[in-house]
């Protein structure tokens, strides 16, 4: 088994690539395939290796006795089956389509209360900033992050016999959505995006200065509510997310048009920009349920792996969907020099792609040629395998939870994400 360790400001994030198969890896309602990454010796050679698909029957959802809480690295290692990585079978015959409406039905009342509270908790000290916040809150959105917080809250609450969510659970979900919204406002400024969720972006309506201040205001307001939770562990956890956002933007800006960027750097940036908030929301929810450290760390890992898988899928869609579906031109990240997983994989096989990117698409039609090369040399397919591997790890992380409607919804969230590239 190979192991890669990334250190995130003192926090160890471990990625394991294991060999073999375990009968307790997944719930029996999912069929899986054992992807054997082959070379002359049959050993693993990373994501770019040719994959031989071998059916692996996994029928039991029962696991061995849950180990006592251990160090994070040991807990992660024990949670990975021996052998080659199991990847979810996403063929159309093996599963039914998942919709967000059905997915979040079990926390629909929680989300309704959240939507009613969001605008009021932003505050009304400044009418312009309030209008800016209303613009993006009013645009809707999937509310995926607070929904995940509610699902984990209820799933872990059942472990300790907690019948109803606490006010801390609910406030945490609101804080998470406020932080996410603030980051979107700032992202639109940095990316010069005119549209957000089908409406004009805040900076397009109110100008860059107001947009920056609105984002700052929402970060500050969420921090105030965070402090009032009076839980030092959660305060540290969520505060780190805001730092991670900045680290991710800096990392991305420093690697523009860099054809030597490695997959590990891409995953680290993706953690900072996307997975960090999701992981913090799922772990924070478990902390407020009062479960033990082993479960809270598994919930953190679930959020991290789901977040990474989600980002990889988004980056795939940037190449495979139309401008109408994306709401922006296809290949926008590549055009700006942001090299994502499909490009990183393709660069390993196609030298001409490097030359085009190095030129920063100075010639007419060069961007379209680069997109075609990414598709032609397997960059999309390899990125899909990466997304599925992270998704499989997320499913494994849920094994410590009782088999309830909330756990099943958390699993379906993983499937919904992968369904977007099916």
């Amino acid at each position: 088994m190979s192991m890669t360790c990334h250190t995130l400001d003192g926090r160890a994030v471990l990625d394991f690539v294991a060999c073999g198969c375990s009968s307790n890896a997944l719930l029996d309602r999912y069929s899986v395939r054992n992807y054997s990454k082959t070379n002359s010796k049959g050993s693993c050679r990373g994501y770019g290796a040719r994959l031989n698909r071998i059916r692996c029957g996994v029928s039991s959802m029962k696991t061995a006795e849950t180990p006592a809480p251990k160090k994070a690295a040991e807990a992660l290692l024990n949670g990975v089956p021996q052998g080659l990585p199991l990847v979810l079978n996403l063929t159309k015959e093996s599963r039914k389509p998942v919709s967000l409406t059905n997915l979040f039905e079990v926390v629909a009342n929680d989300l309704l209360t959240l939507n009613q509270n969001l605008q009021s908790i932003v505050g009304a000290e400044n009418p312009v900033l309030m209008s800016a916040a209303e613009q993006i809150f009013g645009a809707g959105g999937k509310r995926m992050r607070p929904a995940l917080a509610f699902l984990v809250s209820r799933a872990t609450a059942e472990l300790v016999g907690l019948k109803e969510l606490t006010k801390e659970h609910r406030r945490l979900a609101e804080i998470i959505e406020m932080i996410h919204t603030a980051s979107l406002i700032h992202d639109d400024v940095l990316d010069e995006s005119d549209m957000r969720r089908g409406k004009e972006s805040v900076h397009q309506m109110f100008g860059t200065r107001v947009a920056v201040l609105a984002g700052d205001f929402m970060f500050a307001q969420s921090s105030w509510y965070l402090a009032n939770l009076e839980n030092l562990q959660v305060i540290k956890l969520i505060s780190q997310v805001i730092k991670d956002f900045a680290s991710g933007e800096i990392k991305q800006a420093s690697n523009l048009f860099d054809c030597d960027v490695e997959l590990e750097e891409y995953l680290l940036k993706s953690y900072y920009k996307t997975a960090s908030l999701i992981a913090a929301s799922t772990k924070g929810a478990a902390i407020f349920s009062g479960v033990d450290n082993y479960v809270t760390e598994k919930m953190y890992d679930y959020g991290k792996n789901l977040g990474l898988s989600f980002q990889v899928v988004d980056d795939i869609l940037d190449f495979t969907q139309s401008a109408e579906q994306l709401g922006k031109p296809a290949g926008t990240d590549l055009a700006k020099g942001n090299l994502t997983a499909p490009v990183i994989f393709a660069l390993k096989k196609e030298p001409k792609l490097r030359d085009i990117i190095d030129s920063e698409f100075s010639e007419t039609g060069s961007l379209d040629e680069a997109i075609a090369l990414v598709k032609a040399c397997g960059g999309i397919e390899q990125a899909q395998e990466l997304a599925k591997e992270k998704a499989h790890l997320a499913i494994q992380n849920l094994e410590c939870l009782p088999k309830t409607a909330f756990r099943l919804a958390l699993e379906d969230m993983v499937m919904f994400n992968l369904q977007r590239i099916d």
Side-chain angles (χ1 to χ4, degrees), residues 122-171:
V122 169
E125 293 92 342
N126 188 305
V128 175
L129 293 180
M130 189 62 183
S131 296
E134 287 177 345
Q135 170 67 8
I136 194 163
F137 282 142
K142 296 184 291 290
R143 303 282 191 257
M144 184 188 81
R145 289 154 187 82
L148 287 170
F150 285 134
L151 287 170
V152 171
S153 295
R154 292 197 174 275
T156 52
E158 294 199 359
L159 280 174
V160 294
L162 194 62
K163 300 299 182 183
E164 188 49 72
L165 299 188
T166 66
K167 65 180 186 299
E168 288 81 11
H169 280 128
R170 298 189 182 281
R171 184 63 81 195

Side-chain angles (χ1 to χ4, degrees), residues 220-394:
Q221 192 80 328
S222 63
S223 297
W224 186 84
Y225 280 108
L226 178 63
N228 278 276
L229 290 175
E230 297 183 346
N231 184 302
L232 186 58
Q233 188 179 5
V234 174
I235 290 171
K236 288 181 177 180
L237 182 68
I238 306 300
S239 297
Q240 182 65 46
V241 170
I242 300 175
K243 178 176 178 290
D244 287 345
F245 281 151
S247 297
E249 289 295 343
I250 293 168
K251 195 165 191 64
Q252 179 170 299
S254 63
N255 287 330
L256 294 179
F257 296 102
D258 181 5
C259 292
D260 294 317
V261 65
E262 296 291 338
L263 184 64
E264 288 76 15
E265 294 178 82
Y266 161 79
L267 289 172
L268 183 59
K269 179 205 71 176
S270 298
Y271 171 83
Y272 284 148
K273 294 193 66 177
T274 302
S276 176
L277 178 59
I278 298 175
S281 65
T282 51
K283 181 177 180 178
I287 290 171
F288 283 132
S289 291
V291 295
D292 63 35
N293 185 64
Y294 178 80
V295 175
T296 61
E297 289 304 318
K298 286 298 183 184
M299 294 304 95
Y300 176 88
D301 293 336
Y302 167 80
K304 180 195 75 173
N305 287 312
L306 174 61
L308 291 175
S309 181
F310 197 92
Q311 184 60 58
V312 175
V313 169
D314 269 357
D315 293 336
I316 292 170
L317 295 178
D318 195 44
F319 288 91
T320 60
Q321 287 193 331
S322 65
E324 290 74 20
Q325 290 172 306
L326 290 168
K328 60 181 181 180
T332 297
D333 281 333
L334 180 57
K336 294 178 179 179
N338 179 25
L339 308 189
T340 57
V343 181
I344 293 170
F345 286 126
L347 280 167
K348 303 297 184 183
K349 296 183 178 180
E350 182 50 74
K352 186 177 181 181
L353 181 59
R354 174 183 287 267
D355 296 335
I356 297 173
I357 295 173
D358 283 341
S359 74
E360 299 187 11
F361 311 109
S362 57
E363 297 183 12
T364 302
S366 58
L367 176 61
D368 291 336
E369 183 180 4
I371 292 173
L373 287 173
V374 170
K375 293 179 178 179
C377 58
I380 303 298
E381 290 76 13
Q382 287 179 272
Q384 288 173 334
E385 296 302 330
L386 174 58
K388 291 174 186 178
E389 289 181 22
K390 295 300 179 184
H392 168 67
L393 290 175

Side-chain angles (χ1 to χ4, degrees), residues 162-234:
L162 194 62
K163 300 299 182 183
E164 188 49 72
L165 299 188
T166 66
K167 65 180 186 299
E168 288 81 11
H169 280 128
R170 298 189 182 281
R171 184 63 81 195
L172 173 67
E174 294 161 358
I175 290 168
I176 292 297
E177 185 65 6
M178 288 175 66
I179 291 173
H180 175 57
T181 301
S183 73
L184 294 183
I185 294 173
H186 282 177
D187 279 350
D188 287 341
V189 172
L190 292 171
D191 298 338
E192 299 180 344
S193 299
D194 296 335
M195 301 293 292
R196 167 66 63 179
R197 295 170 177 168
K199 292 188 176 183
E200 282 187 301
S201 60
V202 172
H203 84 89
Q204 181 70 12
M205 281 195 68
F206 301 97
T208 299
R209 181 181 179 86
V210 170
V212 171
L213 290 173
D216 289 347
F217 175 77
M218 291 187 68
F219 276 129
Q221 192 80 328
S222 63
S223 297
W224 186 84
Y225 280 108
L226 178 63
N228 278 276
L229 290 175
E230 297 183 346
N231 184 302
L232 186 58
Q233 188 179 5
V234 174

